[in-house]
Amino acid sequence: MKKHAFLVAALALFPTASLASEPVTESLAYRAYIGGLPLGTLSLSIAMNQDRYATNARFDIASLLRWVLDTDARASSSGVITDGDAIPQSFDYWVRDGKKQRNTEMRFDVAGNAREVLANPVFRKRSYDLSLDQVKGAIDPATAIAMLSAPRDEACNVDMKVFDGRKLHRVTMEPLSENSEEVRCSGRYERLAGFKDKYMTPERRSYTFKAELKQIAPNRWRPVQVKAKTKFGNAIVLLTKK
């Protein structure tokens, strides 16, 4: 998996939008490892009330890897929650890769569909670029993280299409086992469109993972551990701060 795709999928979230009424804010931190080596830390801030959300995140690469993989990322989103579904209103994503930086902003229509993507520097044209008509119904990566903490009927009932401004992804989960406090889910990350052909072969376009969730309130769960196999070794993401 390419490093920016990992940031989006793991992650892919900073300023917090104001909410209509007093929100409940959660501050979380996850630490990621690949092959036993620390990859970096994902810091999250998720604010929600009954009908609005605002999500912020920051990914910092581990100091040991900066000489090989010198990258950091930040993102933020806000929007409305209607009947359990997220309707994004804003998304901003900043990434640094070495000395290069890019900021991407998405603007949405009233239904929460991306209507404009602004990038600085501007994205270069590619033959496999997506039209915005092809990503209707997809949410941004920061909103996807917010929805993992949103109330739902079943812990592993997750099926999200995610558009990051260039690529379309899908994340799904289904139950493996559960007890009174912890739930285990099997999951799949898929590349849907916007990738080079070499990344869309059957063995490279999708990856399975396992997630462990902990119930924190009625109909609410929090991911505490995610595991996946990669060509670089086992990848694991652990909740370290809650």
Side-chain angles (χ1 to χ4, degrees), residues 3-125:
K3 56 189 177 184
H4 290 164
F6 178 85
L7 296 181
V8 170
L11 80 339
L13 301 168
F14 265 161
T16 302
S18 60
L19 303 182
S21 61
E22 188 67 25
V24 176
T25 302
E26 296 179 295
S27 296
L28 308 172
Y30 290 86
R31 188 162 294 171
Y33 301 84
I34 288 187
L37 295 175
L39 177 65
T41 300
L42 179 65
S43 303
L44 303 176
S45 174
I46 303 170
M48 284 189 179
N49 63 15
Q50 290 184 342
D51 58 2
R52 291 195 59 83
Y53 70 90
T55 307
N56 303 282
R58 178 181 182 123
F59 181 83
D60 295 297
I61 199 74
S63 57
L64 278 175
L65 292 182
R66 284 201 176 276
W67 64 280
V68 176
L69 190 65
D70 186 15
T71 185
D72 297 295
R74 296 193 301 267
S76 65
S77 69
S78 64
V80 178
I81 300 174
T82 302
D83 296 328
D85 294 325
I87 302 176
Q89 294 179 331
S90 69
F91 171 70
D92 188 82
Y93 177 58
W94 171 90
V95 63
R96 180 188 61 79
D97 187 356
K99 295 182 179 180
K100 298 179 180 179
Q101 300 182 32
R102 171 172 277 121
N103 195 83
T104 304
E105 179 186 351
M106 272 198 286
R107 297 175 179 173
F108 300 86
D109 62 22
V110 293
N113 296 308
R115 64 175 176 82
E116 188 176 21
V117 178
L118 305 172
N120 183 21
V122 176
F123 291 132
R124 64 179 180 85
K125 298 292 185 181

Side-chain angles (χ1 to χ4, degrees), residues 109-235:
D109 62 22
V110 293
N113 296 308
R115 64 175 176 82
E116 188 176 21
V117 178
L118 305 172
N120 183 21
V122 176
F123 291 132
R124 64 179 180 85
K125 298 292 185 181
R126 309 174 307 183
S127 60
Y128 47 92
D129 279 340
L130 292 165
S131 71
L132 294 184
D133 285 339
Q134 293 176 273
V135 301
K136 285 185 176 180
I139 58 179
D140 61 83
T143 293
I145 290 181
M147 293 312 294
L148 286 176
S149 295
R152 55 184 181 272
D153 291 337
E154 297 180 8
C156 301
N157 184 18
V158 173
D159 187 345
M160 301 184 292
K161 288 185 178 180
V162 182
F163 179 56
D164 61 13
R166 299 215 87 181
K167 303 178 181 71
L168 184 64
H169 318 256
R170 186 183 185 189
V171 178
T172 57
M173 293 198 308
E174 59 184 26
L176 272 177
S177 63
E178 63 180 282
N179 56 38
S180 59
E181 289 190 354
E182 295 180 351
V183 179
R184 290 180 172 84
C185 312
S186 62
R188 180 176 295 273
Y189 161 80
E190 300 174 81
R191 295 170 173 150
L192 297 183
F195 295 87
K196 292 181 179 179
D197 287 343
K198 67 178 181 179
Y199 297 117
M200 298 296 286
T201 58
E203 67 275 10
R204 299 185 73 178
R205 71 178 301 166
S206 69
Y207 300 85
T208 59
F209 62 89
K210 292 182 179 179
E212 183 178 310
L213 313 180
K214 184 174 182 179
Q215 189 164 16
I216 57 174
N219 295 328
R220 290 198 64 201
W221 293 267
R222 174 179 294 153
V224 295
Q225 180 175 275
V226 179
K227 290 183 178 179
K229 292 182 178 180
T230 77
K231 66 179 181 179
F232 304 107
N234 289 329

